[in-house]
Amino acid sequence: MLIKKILKGLGIGKYMTYERASELARHEDLDVRLELAGRDDVKPEILYYLAEDEDSDVRREIAANEKTPRQADKLLATDVDDRVRCDLAFKIGRLIPGLTERESTKLQNLTFEVLSILARDQLPRVRQVVAEEIRHAEHVPGAIIQDLAQDIELIVSAPILEYSVLLSDHDILEIVANSADSGVLSAISRRNSSSR
């Protein structure tokens, strides 16, 4: 309750000018920066600035914020904190299905670039989030789908192998021929006829 009163006193909770948002982005109080990072009415350059915040919780808020510009997302795709990258993977995965209908070509390309970085992340959990979020997507670059389908970690490859409509019969046969992993074969055997 006290925090809410303080934040309200700082002008958070109502329409915010660019100048005020810029001032709050540099505020020493973490709660103030966290509140600002989660808003959807903050200018993109402020959100980009917060993507470089020293506190990983602020960067997580920025990673999850759908209003964050893709340039900031690209920066966050290589963040040192894997929780930031996981939060970003969830958001980007949720944005992919409607991307071609809503966004410009430049924004699509930048979004796919962020997705590609996350799909090659060193941490299997980040790649798993990407695979689970895009397993039903119909408009993803083939190279990303191929990389995920051939990932050495079953928790990454299985969602793509089981559900992705972007894998052709030829792709499936090639993966079967090159894999001795029973988990891979099991995931492929569960493919629905609608995913072909």
Side-chain angles (χ1 to χ4, degrees), residues 68-81:
T68 297
R70 289 301 170 272
Q71 294 84 350
D73 287 339
K74 186 176 176 184
L75 176 70
L76 294 170
T78 57
D79 196 275
V80 295
D81 189 326

Side-chain angles (χ1 to χ4, degrees), residues 2-66:
L2 179 61
I3 291 293
K4 288 197 181 274
K5 285 184 181 180
I6 292 171
L7 294 175
K8 190 171 182 177
L10 290 170
I12 296 180
K14 58 184 179 184
Y15 173 77
M16 189 175 311
T17 65
Y18 177 84
E19 293 76 20
R20 186 64 178 143
S22 180
E23 181 183 316
L24 293 174
R26 293 186 299 278
H27 202 279
E28 65 183 33
D29 189 324
L30 173 61
D31 289 328
V32 170
R33 297 192 321 274
L34 279 170
E35 174 73 22
L36 186 65
R39 290 179 67 121
D40 63 2
D41 63 345
V42 177
K43 296 284 186 193
E45 51 271 27
I46 301 294
L47 296 174
Y48 187 93
Y49 176 81
L50 289 169
E52 296 181 308
D53 195 277
E54 64 185 30
D55 192 280
S56 62
D57 288 337
V58 173
R59 297 193 312 273
R60 287 185 74 188
E61 280 292 323
I62 292 296
N65 190 332
E66 290 190 13

Side-chain angles (χ1 to χ4, degrees), residues 70 92 95-97 99-100 104-120 134 137-141 144:
R70 289 301 170 272
I92 294 295
L95 293 175
I96 292 295
L99 188 63
T100 56
S104 68
T105 301
K106 181 179 178 181
L107 195 54
Q108 285 179 41
N109 291 339
L110 195 49
T111 304
F112 288 140
E113 190 175 343
V114 172
L115 184 66
S116 180
I117 293 167
L118 294 168
R120 293 187 317 264
I134 68 167
E138 297 180 10
H139 303 288
V140 176
I144 295 174

Side-chain angles (χ1 to χ4, degrees), residues 82-189:
D82 59 303
R83 298 171 308 154
V84 171
R85 299 190 318 272
C86 280
D87 289 347
L88 180 61
F90 276 117
K91 177 182 77 179
I92 294 295
R94 286 191 307 270
L95 293 175
I96 292 295
L99 188 63
T100 56
E101 300 153 10
R102 296 189 314 234
E103 313 295 354
S104 68
T105 301
K106 181 179 178 181
L107 195 54
Q108 285 179 41
N109 291 339
L110 195 49
T111 304
F112 288 140
E113 190 175 343
V114 172
L115 184 66
S116 180
I117 293 167
L118 294 168
R120 293 187 317 264
D121 195 275
Q122 65 183 5
L123 188 70
R125 174 70 181 130
V126 174
R127 299 192 316 271
Q128 176 189 10
V129 169
V130 170
E132 288 175 354
E133 290 297 316
I134 68 167
R135 67 184 176 209
H136 296 295
E138 297 180 10
H139 303 288
V140 176
I144 295 174
I145 293 296
Q146 288 293 328
D147 287 347
L148 293 170
Q150 296 174 37
D151 198 282
I152 60 170
E153 298 288 342
L154 188 60
I155 60 170
V156 177
S157 63
I160 299 299
L161 293 171
E162 187 173 343
Y163 296 104
S164 181
V165 296
L166 299 175
L167 289 176
S168 68
D169 288 340
H170 175 75
D171 296 331
I172 297 295
L173 289 173
E174 192 171 309
I175 291 168
V176 168
N178 294 323
S179 179
D181 186 334
S182 63
V184 167
L185 301 176
S186 180
I188 290 171
S189 73

